[in-house]
Amino acid sequence: EKNMRSTFLNVGERCNVAGSSIYKKAIVDGNYDKALQIALKQVEQGAHVIDINMDDGLIDAVSAMTKFVNLLVAEPEASRVPFMIDSSKFHVVEAGLKCSQGKCIVNSISLKEGEEEFIRRAKIVKRHGAAVVVMAFDETGQAATCDDKVSMCQ
């Protein structure tokens, strides 16, 4: 029998502007040192992965993602864990991947914009050596049943 605790993955969500008002304020104010401290604290407290999301109307997401990921890769304690590059905008994901060193998880891609776009994005993720979360969505919406999810993902 498999021990589920041994496969548990603790994702630090405090570097997500949608999930932390303190982190969002640091990014909006340009206080990247404070943002870096938030990431480091998560690693100290046992995060296996740092989720990074800059999706907010007040933030230039590409610039913020680039600057923050560059800071993280230069910090030995932060860069010892993978980064989950998280954005609803693929160009922001790509900006994060370009700065990282192949130890990322992309959150996420789906078939929402069609199979051709899905394959294009998957190839970019692969070229950067990243893992990927694939959501069971297509042009018609989210798969609801187990059978729908399996069918969509095949």
Side-chain angles (χ1 to χ4, degrees):
E1 185 175 308
K2 194 175 199 177
N3 177 354
M4 292 306 287
R5 291 309 281 168
S6 69
T7 60
F8 177 78
L9 188 66
N10 183 356
V11 179
E13 290 276 354
R14 298 290 87 200
C15 292
N16 184 327
V17 295
S20 170
S21 58
I22 295 168
Y23 176 75
K24 177 180 173 181
K25 181 173 179 5
I27 296 297
V28 169
D29 293 347
N31 188 347
Y32 284 85
D33 288 336
K34 182 170 187 160
L36 179 59
Q37 292 309 309
I38 292 168
L40 289 170
K41 185 174 182 183
Q42 291 179 102
V43 175
E44 285 171 22
Q45 293 178 339
H48 300 120
V49 175
I50 299 172
D51 182 84
I52 307 163
N53 183 302
M54 302 292 183
D55 287 356
D56 186 273
L58 298 174
I59 297 169
D60 175 347
V62 169
S63 174
M65 181 68 78
T66 300
K67 185 167 186 167
F68 190 61
V69 173
N70 278 328
L71 272 175
L72 288 176
V73 298
E75 172 55 54
E77 280 303 300
S79 63
R80 69 183 178 87
V81 301
F83 310 140
M84 183 169 285
I85 308 296
D86 180 2
S87 180
S88 59
K89 300 170 188 85
F90 192 75
H91 67 282
V92 176
V93 168
E94 200 169 359
L97 289 173
K98 287 176 181 176
C99 302
S100 64
Q101 298 170 356
K103 210 168 75 159
C104 287
I105 304 165
V106 170
N107 186 9
S108 62
I109 63 174
S110 73
L111 290 162
K112 237 190 266 190
E113 293 163 17
E115 187 174 347
E116 189 175 310
E117 183 62 12
F118 174 86
I119 291 169
R120 185 189 76 78
R121 290 175 179 182
K123 285 179 178 177
I124 291 168
V125 170
K126 182 178 180 183
R127 187 177 41 212
H128 287 283
V132 64
V133 174
V134 177
M135 301 295 285
F137 285 90
D138 68 9
E139 298 95 333
T140 61
Q142 183 174 358
T145 68
C146 182
D147 288 343
D148 289 345
K149 291 174 186 178
V150 170
S151 174
M152 187 180 295
C153 292
Q154 287 176 332

